mmCIF file of all heavy atoms in Angstrom:
data_model
loop_
_atom_site.group_PDB
_atom_site.id
_atom_site.type_symbol
_atom_site.label_atom_id
_atom_site.label_comp_id
_atom_site.label_asym_id
_atom_site.label_seq_id
_atom_site.Cartn_x
_atom_site.Cartn_y
_atom_site.Cartn_z
ATOM 1 N N MET A 1 -123.604 46.538 -18.044
ATOM 2 C CA MET A 1 -123.017 45.294 -17.511
ATOM 3 C C MET A 1 -123.686 44.080 -18.153
ATOM 4 O O MET A 1 -124.885 44.074 -18.390
ATOM 5 C CB MET A 1 -123.231 45.224 -15.990
ATOM 6 C CG MET A 1 -122.297 46.180 -15.239
ATOM 7 S SD MET A 1 -120.580 45.732 -15.405
ATOM 8 C CE MET A 1 -119.910 46.524 -13.948
ATOM 9 N N SER A 2 -122.884 43.032 -18.363
ATOM 10 C CA SER A 2 -123.453 41.824 -18.951
ATOM 11 C C SER A 2 -123.028 40.621 -18.117
ATOM 12 O O SER A 2 -122.130 39.900 -18.459
ATOM 13 C CB SER A 2 -122.996 41.661 -20.400
ATOM 14 O OG SER A 2 -121.595 41.648 -20.459
ATOM 15 N N ASN A 3 -123.682 40.467 -16.987
ATOM 16 C CA ASN A 3 -123.353 39.351 -16.111
ATOM 17 C C ASN A 3 -124.286 38.167 -16.325
ATOM 18 O O ASN A 3 -124.351 37.269 -15.517
ATOM 19 C CB ASN A 3 -123.444 39.797 -14.646
ATOM 20 C CG ASN A 3 -122.292 40.732 -14.304
ATOM 21 O OD1 ASN A 3 -121.230 40.630 -14.894
ATOM 22 N ND2 ASN A 3 -122.535 41.642 -13.373
ATOM 23 N N LEU A 4 -125.031 38.192 -17.393
ATOM 24 C CA LEU A 4 -126.010 37.123 -17.624
ATOM 25 C C LEU A 4 -125.496 36.085 -18.615
ATOM 26 O O LEU A 4 -126.255 35.326 -19.173
ATOM 27 C CB LEU A 4 -127.318 37.726 -18.155
ATOM 28 C CG LEU A 4 -128.044 38.642 -17.144
ATOM 29 C CD1 LEU A 4 -129.165 39.390 -17.839
ATOM 30 C CD2 LEU A 4 -128.585 37.813 -15.979
ATOM 31 N N ARG A 5 -124.186 36.074 -18.812
ATOM 32 C CA ARG A 5 -123.633 35.107 -19.768
ATOM 33 C C ARG A 5 -123.707 33.692 -19.204
ATOM 34 O O ARG A 5 -123.301 33.444 -18.070
ATOM 35 C CB ARG A 5 -122.184 35.456 -20.077
ATOM 36 C CG ARG A 5 -122.108 36.492 -21.174
ATOM 37 C CD ARG A 5 -120.699 36.617 -21.677
ATOM 38 N NE ARG A 5 -119.809 37.094 -20.629
ATOM 39 C CZ ARG A 5 -118.484 37.003 -20.689
ATOM 40 N NH1 ARG A 5 -117.922 36.457 -21.736
ATOM 41 N NH2 ARG A 5 -117.727 37.449 -19.729
ATOM 42 N N ARG A 6 -124.195 32.795 -20.012
ATOM 43 C CA ARG A 6 -124.233 31.393 -19.599
ATOM 44 C C ARG A 6 -122.960 30.688 -20.054
ATOM 45 O O ARG A 6 -122.372 31.064 -21.068
ATOM 46 C CB ARG A 6 -125.440 30.678 -20.213
ATOM 47 C CG ARG A 6 -126.730 31.043 -19.516
ATOM 48 C CD ARG A 6 -127.882 30.265 -20.091
ATOM 49 N NE ARG A 6 -128.131 30.652 -21.474
ATOM 50 C CZ ARG A 6 -128.925 29.981 -22.275
ATOM 51 N NH1 ARG A 6 -129.511 28.880 -21.863
ATOM 52 N NH2 ARG A 6 -129.128 30.375 -23.509
ATOM 53 N N ILE A 7 -122.576 29.668 -19.322
ATOM 54 C CA ILE A 7 -121.354 28.941 -19.667
ATOM 55 C C ILE A 7 -121.693 27.843 -20.673
ATOM 56 O O ILE A 7 -121.876 26.677 -20.345
ATOM 57 C CB ILE A 7 -120.704 28.335 -18.404
ATOM 58 C CG1 ILE A 7 -120.526 29.431 -17.351
ATOM 59 C CG2 ILE A 7 -119.355 27.716 -18.750
ATOM 60 C CD1 ILE A 7 -120.137 28.900 -15.991
ATOM 61 N N THR A 8 -121.820 28.241 -21.913
ATOM 62 C CA THR A 8 -122.095 27.278 -22.971
ATOM 63 C C THR A 8 -121.258 27.613 -24.192
ATOM 64 O O THR A 8 -120.783 28.723 -24.339
ATOM 65 C CB THR A 8 -123.580 27.278 -23.378
ATOM 66 O OG1 THR A 8 -123.967 28.625 -23.620
ATOM 67 C CG2 THR A 8 -124.463 26.688 -22.302
ATOM 68 N N THR A 9 -121.112 26.647 -25.049
ATOM 69 C CA THR A 9 -120.400 26.869 -26.296
ATOM 70 C C THR A 9 -121.318 27.620 -27.269
ATOM 71 O O THR A 9 -122.536 27.639 -27.071
ATOM 72 C CB THR A 9 -119.986 25.519 -26.908
ATOM 73 O OG1 THR A 9 -121.113 24.671 -26.940
ATOM 74 C CG2 THR A 9 -118.887 24.873 -26.085
ATOM 75 N N PRO A 10 -120.771 28.210 -28.303
ATOM 76 C CA PRO A 10 -121.604 28.970 -29.244
ATOM 77 C C PRO A 10 -122.780 28.187 -29.819
ATOM 78 O O PRO A 10 -123.828 28.762 -30.093
ATOM 79 C CB PRO A 10 -120.626 29.340 -30.353
ATOM 80 C CG PRO A 10 -119.325 29.442 -29.655
ATOM 81 C CD PRO A 10 -119.356 28.369 -28.583
ATOM 82 N N ASN A 11 -122.636 26.884 -29.964
ATOM 83 C CA ASN A 11 -123.753 26.119 -30.527
ATOM 84 C C ASN A 11 -124.718 25.619 -29.451
ATOM 85 O O ASN A 11 -125.599 24.823 -29.722
ATOM 86 C CB ASN A 11 -123.243 24.953 -31.383
ATOM 87 C CG ASN A 11 -122.355 24.025 -30.590
ATOM 88 O OD1 ASN A 11 -122.271 24.151 -29.370
ATOM 89 N ND2 ASN A 11 -121.700 23.105 -31.270
ATOM 90 N N GLY A 12 -124.552 26.078 -28.239
ATOM 91 C CA GLY A 12 -125.534 25.766 -27.212
ATOM 92 C C GLY A 12 -125.215 24.552 -26.375
ATOM 93 O O GLY A 12 -125.867 24.310 -25.380
ATOM 94 N N ALA A 13 -124.218 23.790 -26.775
ATOM 95 C CA ALA A 13 -123.885 22.591 -26.013
ATOM 96 C C ALA A 13 -123.083 22.972 -24.772
ATOM 97 O O ALA A 13 -122.287 23.907 -24.818
ATOM 98 C CB ALA A 13 -123.073 21.639 -26.883
ATOM 99 N N PRO A 14 -123.270 22.286 -23.675
ATOM 100 C CA PRO A 14 -122.510 22.592 -22.473
ATOM 101 C C PRO A 14 -121.043 22.256 -22.646
ATOM 102 O O PRO A 14 -120.680 21.345 -23.399
ATOM 103 C CB PRO A 14 -123.158 21.691 -21.411
ATOM 104 C CG PRO A 14 -123.825 20.611 -22.170
ATOM 105 C CD PRO A 14 -124.210 21.208 -23.493
ATOM 106 N N LEU A 15 -120.215 22.994 -21.937
ATOM 107 C CA LEU A 15 -118.784 22.762 -22.044
ATOM 108 C C LEU A 15 -118.428 21.400 -21.467
ATOM 109 O O LEU A 15 -118.907 21.018 -20.410
ATOM 110 C CB LEU A 15 -118.028 23.849 -21.275
ATOM 111 C CG LEU A 15 -117.995 25.227 -21.934
ATOM 112 C CD1 LEU A 15 -117.459 26.250 -20.939
ATOM 113 C CD2 LEU A 15 -117.101 25.198 -23.161
ATOM 114 N N GLN A 16 -117.571 20.708 -22.166
ATOM 115 C CA GLN A 16 -117.114 19.421 -21.674
ATOM 116 C C GLN A 16 -115.792 19.074 -22.341
ATOM 117 O O GLN A 16 -115.392 19.700 -23.301
ATOM 118 C CB GLN A 16 -118.153 18.345 -21.969
ATOM 119 C CG GLN A 16 -118.501 18.255 -23.449
ATOM 120 C CD GLN A 16 -119.566 17.188 -23.683
ATOM 121 O OE1 GLN A 16 -119.427 16.073 -23.268
ATOM 122 N NE2 GLN A 16 -120.631 17.569 -24.360
ATOM 123 N N ASN A 17 -115.185 18.079 -21.780
ATOM 124 C CA ASN A 17 -113.905 17.651 -22.330
ATOM 125 C C ASN A 17 -114.127 16.865 -23.616
ATOM 126 O O ASN A 17 -114.698 15.786 -23.606
ATOM 127 C CB ASN A 17 -113.182 16.772 -21.296
ATOM 128 C CG ASN A 17 -111.760 16.472 -21.730
ATOM 129 O OD1 ASN A 17 -111.267 17.068 -22.689
ATOM 130 N ND2 ASN A 17 -111.107 15.571 -21.038
ATOM 131 N N LEU A 18 -113.696 17.440 -24.713
ATOM 132 C CA LEU A 18 -113.939 16.791 -26.003
ATOM 133 C C LEU A 18 -112.731 15.974 -26.467
ATOM 134 O O LEU A 18 -112.687 15.514 -27.592
ATOM 135 C CB LEU A 18 -114.254 17.855 -27.051
ATOM 136 C CG LEU A 18 -115.575 18.607 -26.820
ATOM 137 C CD1 LEU A 18 -115.675 19.779 -27.776
ATOM 138 C CD2 LEU A 18 -116.757 17.679 -27.001
ATOM 139 N N GLU A 19 -111.779 15.803 -25.572
ATOM 140 C CA GLU A 19 -110.589 15.066 -25.972
ATOM 141 C C GLU A 19 -110.820 13.570 -25.826
ATOM 142 O O GLU A 19 -110.401 12.937 -24.869
ATOM 143 C CB GLU A 19 -109.397 15.503 -25.124
ATOM 144 C CG GLU A 19 -108.542 16.526 -25.839
ATOM 145 C CD GLU A 19 -107.228 16.758 -25.107
ATOM 146 O OE1 GLU A 19 -106.372 15.880 -25.183
ATOM 147 O OE2 GLU A 19 -107.091 17.803 -24.466
ATOM 148 N N LEU A 20 -111.518 13.013 -26.774
ATOM 149 C CA LEU A 20 -111.754 11.575 -26.746
ATOM 150 C C LEU A 20 -110.517 10.843 -27.255
ATOM 151 O O LEU A 20 -109.856 11.312 -28.183
ATOM 152 C CB LEU A 20 -112.936 11.227 -27.639
ATOM 153 C CG LEU A 20 -114.295 11.711 -27.126
ATOM 154 C CD1 LEU A 20 -115.319 11.654 -28.251
ATOM 155 C CD2 LEU A 20 -114.757 10.851 -25.976
ATOM 156 N N PRO A 21 -110.228 9.713 -26.656
ATOM 157 C CA PRO A 21 -109.074 8.942 -27.107
ATOM 158 C C PRO A 21 -109.347 8.273 -28.450
ATOM 159 O O PRO A 21 -109.861 7.172 -28.516
ATOM 160 C CB PRO A 21 -108.856 7.915 -25.991
ATOM 161 C CG PRO A 21 -110.186 7.776 -25.335
ATOM 162 C CD PRO A 21 -110.919 9.075 -25.534
ATOM 163 N N SER A 22 -109.022 8.976 -29.527
ATOM 164 C CA SER A 22 -109.300 8.426 -30.853
ATOM 165 C C SER A 22 -108.215 7.453 -31.278
ATOM 166 O O SER A 22 -108.353 6.777 -32.288
ATOM 167 C CB SER A 22 -109.418 9.552 -31.865
ATOM 168 O OG SER A 22 -108.279 10.374 -31.801
ATOM 169 N N ARG A 23 -107.165 7.414 -30.504
ATOM 170 C CA ARG A 23 -106.083 6.500 -30.827
ATOM 171 C C ARG A 23 -106.022 5.348 -29.840
ATOM 172 O O ARG A 23 -106.307 5.536 -28.656
ATOM 173 C CB ARG A 23 -104.742 7.247 -30.804
ATOM 174 C CG ARG A 23 -104.385 7.770 -32.165
ATOM 175 C CD ARG A 23 -103.142 8.607 -32.087
ATOM 176 N NE ARG A 23 -102.953 9.340 -33.326
ATOM 177 C CZ ARG A 23 -102.357 8.819 -34.400
ATOM 178 N NH1 ARG A 23 -101.881 7.583 -34.366
ATOM 179 N NH2 ARG A 23 -102.221 9.521 -35.483
ATOM 180 N N CYS A 24 -105.649 4.202 -30.333
ATOM 181 C CA CYS A 24 -105.519 3.029 -29.483
ATOM 182 C C CYS A 24 -104.357 3.229 -28.524
ATOM 183 O O CYS A 24 -103.275 3.638 -28.941
ATOM 184 C CB CYS A 24 -105.299 1.791 -30.349
ATOM 185 S SG CYS A 24 -105.116 0.294 -29.393
ATOM 186 N N ASP A 25 -104.593 2.981 -27.248
ATOM 187 C CA ASP A 25 -103.532 3.185 -26.269
ATOM 188 C C ASP A 25 -102.547 2.022 -26.270
ATOM 189 O O ASP A 25 -101.537 2.066 -25.591
ATOM 190 C CB ASP A 25 -104.123 3.388 -24.875
ATOM 191 C CG ASP A 25 -104.994 2.233 -24.440
ATOM 192 O OD1 ASP A 25 -105.479 1.504 -25.324
ATOM 193 O OD2 ASP A 25 -105.193 2.057 -23.238
ATOM 194 N N GLN A 26 -102.846 0.977 -27.009
ATOM 195 C CA GLN A 26 -101.967 -0.183 -27.041
ATOM 196 C C GLN A 26 -101.035 -0.173 -28.244
ATOM 197 O O GLN A 26 -99.848 -0.412 -28.122
ATOM 198 C CB GLN A 26 -102.794 -1.464 -27.039
ATOM 199 C CG GLN A 26 -103.595 -1.676 -25.781
ATOM 200 C CD GLN A 26 -102.719 -1.738 -24.535
ATOM 201 O OE1 GLN A 26 -101.693 -2.392 -24.532
ATOM 202 N NE2 GLN A 26 -103.114 -1.042 -23.494
ATOM 203 N N CYS A 27 -101.568 0.087 -29.410
ATOM 204 C CA CYS A 27 -100.739 0.050 -30.606
ATOM 205 C C CYS A 27 -100.513 1.439 -31.209
ATOM 206 O O CYS A 27 -99.633 1.621 -32.035
ATOM 207 C CB CYS A 27 -101.347 -0.878 -31.656
ATOM 208 S SG CYS A 27 -102.904 -0.295 -32.320
ATOM 209 N N GLY A 28 -101.286 2.428 -30.776
ATOM 210 C CA GLY A 28 -101.068 3.787 -31.222
ATOM 211 C C GLY A 28 -101.727 4.117 -32.548
ATOM 212 O O GLY A 28 -101.658 5.241 -33.012
ATOM 213 N N ASN A 29 -102.368 3.135 -33.153
ATOM 214 C CA ASN A 29 -103.072 3.383 -34.407
ATOM 215 C C ASN A 29 -104.474 3.924 -34.125
ATOM 216 O O ASN A 29 -105.013 3.690 -33.048
ATOM 217 C CB ASN A 29 -103.181 2.080 -35.209
ATOM 218 C CG ASN A 29 -101.827 1.637 -35.742
ATOM 219 O OD1 ASN A 29 -101.027 2.447 -36.190
ATOM 220 N ND2 ASN A 29 -101.576 0.347 -35.678
ATOM 221 N N PRO A 30 -105.041 4.626 -35.087
ATOM 222 C CA PRO A 30 -106.406 5.121 -34.892
ATOM 223 C C PRO A 30 -107.375 3.976 -34.606
ATOM 224 O O PRO A 30 -107.290 2.904 -35.204
ATOM 225 C CB PRO A 30 -106.739 5.792 -36.237
ATOM 226 C CG PRO A 30 -105.420 6.166 -36.808
ATOM 227 C CD PRO A 30 -104.458 5.097 -36.338
ATOM 228 N N ARG A 31 -108.279 4.216 -33.675
ATOM 229 C CA ARG A 31 -109.196 3.168 -33.245
ATOM 230 C C ARG A 31 -110.133 2.725 -34.362
ATOM 231 O O ARG A 31 -110.607 1.589 -34.352
ATOM 232 C CB ARG A 31 -110.034 3.690 -32.076
ATOM 233 C CG ARG A 31 -109.312 3.600 -30.750
ATOM 234 C CD ARG A 31 -110.163 4.219 -29.675
ATOM 235 N NE ARG A 31 -109.508 4.205 -28.374
ATOM 236 C CZ ARG A 31 -109.633 3.201 -27.505
ATOM 237 N NH1 ARG A 31 -110.361 2.162 -27.799
ATOM 238 N NH2 ARG A 31 -109.026 3.255 -26.355
ATOM 239 N N ASN A 32 -110.428 3.635 -35.272
ATOM 240 C CA ASN A 32 -111.357 3.278 -36.339
ATOM 241 C C ASN A 32 -110.629 2.618 -37.507
ATOM 242 O O ASN A 32 -111.204 2.393 -38.557
ATOM 243 C CB ASN A 32 -112.133 4.513 -36.808
ATOM 244 C CG ASN A 32 -111.208 5.619 -37.291
ATOM 245 O OD1 ASN A 32 -109.988 5.483 -37.208
ATOM 246 N ND2 ASN A 32 -111.778 6.681 -37.788
ATOM 247 N N LYS A 33 -109.351 2.311 -37.299
ATOM 248 C CA LYS A 33 -108.586 1.665 -38.365
ATOM 249 C C LYS A 33 -107.907 0.434 -37.821
ATOM 250 O O LYS A 33 -107.341 0.473 -36.727
ATOM 251 C CB LYS A 33 -107.517 2.642 -38.897
ATOM 252 C CG LYS A 33 -107.825 3.147 -40.286
ATOM 253 C CD LYS A 33 -106.636 3.943 -40.792
ATOM 254 C CE LYS A 33 -106.806 4.252 -42.262
ATOM 255 N NZ LYS A 33 -105.634 4.939 -42.802
ATOM 256 N N GLY A 34 -107.961 -0.617 -38.595
ATOM 257 C CA GLY A 34 -107.254 -1.824 -38.212
ATOM 258 C C GLY A 34 -108.009 -2.650 -37.187
ATOM 259 O O GLY A 34 -109.112 -2.310 -36.756
ATOM 260 N N ASN A 35 -107.387 -3.737 -36.790
ATOM 261 C CA ASN A 35 -108.003 -4.660 -35.854
ATOM 262 C C ASN A 35 -107.393 -4.458 -34.468
ATOM 263 O O ASN A 35 -106.190 -4.569 -34.298
ATOM 264 C CB ASN A 35 -107.762 -6.089 -36.354
ATOM 265 C CG ASN A 35 -108.561 -7.092 -35.543
ATOM 266 O OD1 ASN A 35 -109.317 -6.718 -34.647
ATOM 267 N ND2 ASN A 35 -108.399 -8.360 -35.849
ATOM 268 N N HIS A 36 -108.234 -4.175 -33.520
ATOM 269 C CA HIS A 36 -107.746 -3.902 -32.173
ATOM 270 C C HIS A 36 -108.264 -4.933 -31.183
ATOM 271 O O HIS A 36 -108.386 -4.666 -29.998
ATOM 272 C CB HIS A 36 -108.163 -2.496 -31.736
ATOM 273 C CG HIS A 36 -107.568 -1.418 -32.582
ATOM 274 N ND1 HIS A 36 -106.287 -0.955 -32.423
ATOM 275 C CD2 HIS A 36 -108.068 -0.746 -33.629
ATOM 276 C CE1 HIS A 36 -106.046 -0.021 -33.323
ATOM 277 N NE2 HIS A 36 -107.121 0.117 -34.084
ATOM 278 N N ARG A 37 -108.593 -6.099 -31.698
ATOM 279 C CA ARG A 37 -109.105 -7.116 -30.785
ATOM 280 C C ARG A 37 -108.020 -7.548 -29.805
ATOM 281 O O ARG A 37 -108.250 -7.709 -28.619
ATOM 282 C CB ARG A 37 -109.587 -8.325 -31.587
ATOM 283 C CG ARG A 37 -110.638 -9.108 -30.805
ATOM 284 C CD ARG A 37 -110.768 -10.516 -31.314
ATOM 285 N NE ARG A 37 -111.447 -10.535 -32.614
ATOM 286 C CZ ARG A 37 -111.695 -11.647 -33.280
ATOM 287 N NH1 ARG A 37 -111.327 -12.807 -32.781
ATOM 288 N NH2 ARG A 37 -112.290 -11.620 -34.430
ATOM 289 N N ARG A 38 -106.814 -7.695 -30.338
ATOM 290 C CA ARG A 38 -105.708 -8.090 -29.455
ATOM 291 C C ARG A 38 -105.387 -6.965 -28.484
ATOM 292 O O ARG A 38 -104.998 -7.199 -27.344
ATOM 293 C CB ARG A 38 -104.483 -8.425 -30.301
ATOM 294 C CG ARG A 38 -104.711 -9.611 -31.197
ATOM 295 C CD ARG A 38 -103.417 -10.045 -31.826
ATOM 296 N NE ARG A 38 -102.641 -10.876 -30.906
ATOM 297 C CZ ARG A 38 -101.466 -11.404 -31.193
ATOM 298 N NH1 ARG A 38 -100.915 -11.199 -32.369
ATOM 299 N NH2 ARG A 38 -100.825 -12.137 -30.328
ATOM 300 N N CYS A 39 -105.524 -5.741 -28.960
ATOM 301 C CA CYS A 39 -105.250 -4.592 -28.097
ATOM 302 C C CYS A 39 -106.220 -4.576 -26.930
ATOM 303 O O CYS A 39 -105.832 -4.323 -25.791
ATOM 304 C CB CYS A 39 -105.368 -3.308 -28.900
ATOM 305 S SG CYS A 39 -104.243 -3.242 -30.303
ATOM 306 N N SER A 40 -107.495 -4.845 -27.212
ATOM 307 C CA SER A 40 -108.476 -4.822 -26.140
ATOM 308 C C SER A 40 -108.223 -5.979 -25.176
ATOM 309 O O SER A 40 -108.398 -5.830 -23.966
ATOM 310 C CB SER A 40 -109.887 -4.893 -26.713
ATOM 311 O OG SER A 40 -110.086 -6.095 -27.396
ATOM 312 N N GLN A 41 -107.781 -7.119 -25.724
ATOM 313 C CA GLN A 41 -107.452 -8.244 -24.850
ATOM 314 C C GLN A 41 -106.272 -7.876 -23.958
ATOM 315 O O GLN A 41 -106.240 -8.184 -22.777
ATOM 316 C CB GLN A 41 -107.099 -9.459 -25.691
ATOM 317 C CG GLN A 41 -108.340 -10.159 -26.229
ATOM 318 C CD GLN A 41 -107.978 -11.326 -27.136
ATOM 319 O OE1 GLN A 41 -106.788 -11.612 -27.346
ATOM 320 N NE2 GLN A 41 -108.978 -11.986 -27.679
ATOM 321 N N ARG A 42 -105.303 -7.199 -24.554
ATOM 322 C CA ARG A 42 -104.134 -6.768 -23.809
ATOM 323 C C ARG A 42 -104.539 -5.774 -22.723
ATOM 324 O O ARG A 42 -104.067 -5.830 -21.594
ATOM 325 C CB ARG A 42 -103.151 -6.120 -24.782
ATOM 326 C CG ARG A 42 -101.701 -6.288 -24.412
ATOM 327 C CD ARG A 42 -100.869 -5.633 -25.487
ATOM 328 N NE ARG A 42 -99.994 -4.651 -24.893
ATOM 329 C CZ ARG A 42 -98.674 -4.824 -24.785
ATOM 330 N NH1 ARG A 42 -98.115 -5.920 -25.241
ATOM 331 N NH2 ARG A 42 -97.915 -3.905 -24.256
ATOM 332 N N ARG A 43 -105.424 -4.873 -23.095
ATOM 333 C CA ARG A 43 -105.874 -3.862 -22.135
ATOM 334 C C ARG A 43 -106.598 -4.522 -20.973
ATOM 335 O O ARG A 43 -106.439 -4.145 -19.821
ATOM 336 C CB ARG A 43 -106.799 -2.878 -22.839
ATOM 337 C CG ARG A 43 -107.004 -1.592 -22.040
ATOM 338 C CD ARG A 43 -107.900 -0.636 -22.786
ATOM 339 N NE ARG A 43 -107.372 -0.290 -24.090
ATOM 340 C CZ ARG A 43 -107.957 -0.611 -25.238
ATOM 341 N NH1 ARG A 43 -109.096 -1.271 -25.237
ATOM 342 N NH2 ARG A 43 -107.416 -0.260 -26.361
ATOM 343 N N GLN A 44 -107.427 -5.522 -21.327
ATOM 344 C CA GLN A 44 -108.143 -6.240 -20.271
ATOM 345 C C GLN A 44 -107.172 -6.961 -19.360
ATOM 346 O O GLN A 44 -107.339 -6.990 -18.146
ATOM 347 C CB GLN A 44 -109.111 -7.242 -20.892
ATOM 348 C CG GLN A 44 -110.421 -6.582 -21.329
ATOM 349 C CD GLN A 44 -111.344 -7.589 -21.994
ATOM 350 O OE1 GLN A 44 -111.277 -8.761 -21.681
ATOM 351 N NE2 GLN A 44 -112.180 -7.117 -22.901
ATOM 352 N N ALA A 45 -106.123 -7.539 -19.957
ATOM 353 C CA ALA A 45 -105.132 -8.247 -19.157
ATOM 354 C C ALA A 45 -104.396 -7.278 -18.238
ATOM 355 O O ALA A 45 -104.085 -7.602 -17.089
ATOM 356 C CB ALA A 45 -104.147 -8.944 -20.080
ATOM 357 N N LEU A 46 -104.150 -6.072 -18.756
ATOM 358 C CA LEU A 46 -103.449 -5.082 -17.948
ATOM 359 C C LEU A 46 -104.331 -4.583 -16.808
ATOM 360 O O LEU A 46 -103.846 -4.240 -15.736
ATOM 361 C CB LEU A 46 -103.038 -3.894 -18.826
ATOM 362 C CG LEU A 46 -101.838 -4.151 -19.734
ATOM 363 C CD1 LEU A 46 -101.710 -3.030 -20.758
ATOM 364 C CD2 LEU A 46 -100.564 -4.278 -18.935
ATOM 365 N N ASN A 47 -105.633 -4.544 -17.044
ATOM 366 C CA ASN A 47 -106.551 -4.043 -16.025
ATOM 367 C C ASN A 47 -107.058 -5.151 -15.117
ATOM 368 O O ASN A 47 -107.898 -4.892 -14.259
ATOM 369 C CB ASN A 47 -107.749 -3.344 -16.690
ATOM 370 C CG ASN A 47 -107.319 -2.047 -17.342
ATOM 371 O OD1 ASN A 47 -106.404 -1.389 -16.871
ATOM 372 N ND2 ASN A 47 -107.979 -1.681 -18.426
ATOM 373 N N LYS A 48 -106.539 -6.349 -15.344
ATOM 374 C CA LYS A 48 -107.050 -7.486 -14.581
ATOM 375 C C LYS A 48 -106.801 -7.305 -13.086
ATOM 376 O O LYS A 48 -107.635 -7.658 -12.264
ATOM 377 C CB LYS A 48 -106.367 -8.766 -15.065
ATOM 378 C CG LYS A 48 -107.264 -9.971 -14.971
ATOM 379 C CD LYS A 48 -106.587 -11.158 -15.622
ATOM 380 C CE LYS A 48 -107.544 -12.350 -15.650
ATOM 381 N NZ LYS A 48 -106.924 -13.509 -16.296
ATOM 382 N N HIS A 49 -105.637 -6.721 -12.747
ATOM 383 C CA HIS A 49 -105.308 -6.585 -11.337
ATOM 384 C C HIS A 49 -106.310 -5.690 -10.616
ATOM 385 O O HIS A 49 -106.463 -5.768 -9.407
ATOM 386 C CB HIS A 49 -103.893 -6.035 -11.186
ATOM 387 C CG HIS A 49 -103.757 -4.626 -11.677
ATOM 388 N ND1 HIS A 49 -103.525 -4.333 -13.008
ATOM 389 C CD2 HIS A 49 -103.838 -3.446 -11.039
ATOM 390 C CE1 HIS A 49 -103.464 -3.011 -13.131
ATOM 391 N NE2 HIS A 49 -103.645 -2.445 -11.965
ATOM 392 N N LYS A 50 -106.995 -4.840 -11.376
ATOM 393 C CA LYS A 50 -107.982 -3.970 -10.736
ATOM 394 C C LYS A 50 -109.197 -4.768 -10.283
ATOM 395 O O LYS A 50 -109.907 -4.375 -9.371
ATOM 396 C CB LYS A 50 -108.438 -2.881 -11.711
ATOM 397 C CG LYS A 50 -107.328 -1.900 -12.039
ATOM 398 C CD LYS A 50 -107.833 -0.859 -13.013
ATOM 399 C CE LYS A 50 -106.696 0.058 -13.443
ATOM 400 N NZ LYS A 50 -107.127 0.963 -14.531
ATOM 401 N N TRP A 51 -109.431 -5.874 -10.988
ATOM 402 C CA TRP A 51 -110.616 -6.674 -10.665
ATOM 403 C C TRP A 51 -110.279 -7.809 -9.710
ATOM 404 O O TRP A 51 -111.148 -8.359 -9.049
ATOM 405 C CB TRP A 51 -111.220 -7.255 -11.942
ATOM 406 C CG TRP A 51 -111.525 -6.188 -12.932
ATOM 407 C CD1 TRP A 51 -110.783 -5.855 -14.029
ATOM 408 C CD2 TRP A 51 -112.633 -5.290 -12.926
ATOM 409 N NE1 TRP A 51 -111.360 -4.810 -14.676
ATOM 410 C CE2 TRP A 51 -112.499 -4.453 -14.044
ATOM 411 C CE3 TRP A 51 -113.725 -5.141 -12.083
ATOM 412 C CZ2 TRP A 51 -113.431 -3.452 -14.325
ATOM 413 C CZ3 TRP A 51 -114.651 -4.148 -12.370
ATOM 414 C CH2 TRP A 51 -114.494 -3.321 -13.483
ATOM 415 N N MET A 52 -109.001 -8.139 -9.652
ATOM 416 C CA MET A 52 -108.611 -9.218 -8.749
ATOM 417 C C MET A 52 -108.451 -8.679 -7.331
ATOM 418 O O MET A 52 -108.296 -7.483 -7.124
ATOM 419 C CB MET A 52 -107.281 -9.834 -9.225
ATOM 420 C CG MET A 52 -107.466 -10.716 -10.453
ATOM 421 S SD MET A 52 -105.896 -11.161 -11.207
ATOM 422 C CE MET A 52 -105.307 -12.347 -10.028
ATOM 423 N N GLY A 53 -108.469 -9.589 -6.379
ATOM 424 C CA GLY A 53 -108.287 -9.198 -5.001
ATOM 425 C C GLY A 53 -109.530 -8.617 -4.373
ATOM 426 O O GLY A 53 -109.478 -8.047 -3.292
ATOM 427 N N ARG A 54 -110.639 -8.765 -5.078
ATOM 428 C CA ARG A 54 -111.891 -8.283 -4.490
ATOM 429 C C ARG A 54 -112.443 -9.301 -3.508
ATOM 430 O O ARG A 54 -112.213 -10.497 -3.668
ATOM 431 C CB ARG A 54 -112.928 -8.077 -5.599
ATOM 432 C CG ARG A 54 -112.711 -6.778 -6.363
ATOM 433 C CD ARG A 54 -113.945 -6.490 -7.177
ATOM 434 N NE ARG A 54 -113.855 -5.268 -7.931
ATOM 435 C CZ ARG A 54 -114.908 -4.744 -8.546
ATOM 436 N NH1 ARG A 54 -116.061 -5.355 -8.508
ATOM 437 N NH2 ARG A 54 -114.798 -3.639 -9.212
ATOM 438 N N PRO A 55 -113.161 -8.866 -2.515
ATOM 439 C CA PRO A 55 -113.758 -9.814 -1.565
ATOM 440 C C PRO A 55 -114.873 -10.632 -2.203
ATOM 441 O O PRO A 55 -115.494 -10.171 -3.147
ATOM 442 C CB PRO A 55 -114.311 -8.936 -0.444
ATOM 443 C CG PRO A 55 -114.492 -7.585 -1.053
ATOM 444 C CD PRO A 55 -113.423 -7.468 -2.143
HETATM 445 ZN ZN1 ZN B 1 -104.800 -1.147 -31.211
#
């Protein structure tokens, strides 16, 4: 019996979600390409309602 298996990847790193958002959610272009300053401003504007209405 081999019940001593640890839940790790072959290289020893713990399992985790490796699906990082490499693409811009605003323009759809890769984040490491192009200028996304407007995209981040847009994202902030979209998330503004989350910060508003606080006591
Ligand atoms: Zn973008």
Side-chain angles (χ1 to χ4, degrees):
M1 285 295 203
S2 57
N3 289 331
L4 295 169
R5 275 192 297 164
R6 284 183 294 168
I7 308 169
T8 50
T9 50
N11 58 10
L15 286 169
Q16 56 181 308
N17 189 10
L18 294 171
E19 262 191 74
L20 291 164
S22 53
R23 268 174 192 276
C24 180
D25 57 338
Q26 295 301 315
C27 67
N29 290 320
R31 278 176 182 270
N32 58 356
K33 251 188 170 184
N35 189 2
H36 297 280
R37 205 200 287 180
R38 296 190 81 180
C39 301
S40 63
Q41 281 177 1
R42 211 178 124 108
R43 196 179 302 115
Q44 278 178 28
L46 284 168
N47 290 328
K48 212 173 185 179
H49 67 275
K50 293 179 185 172
W51 305 101
M52 285 168 74
R54 281 194 179 190

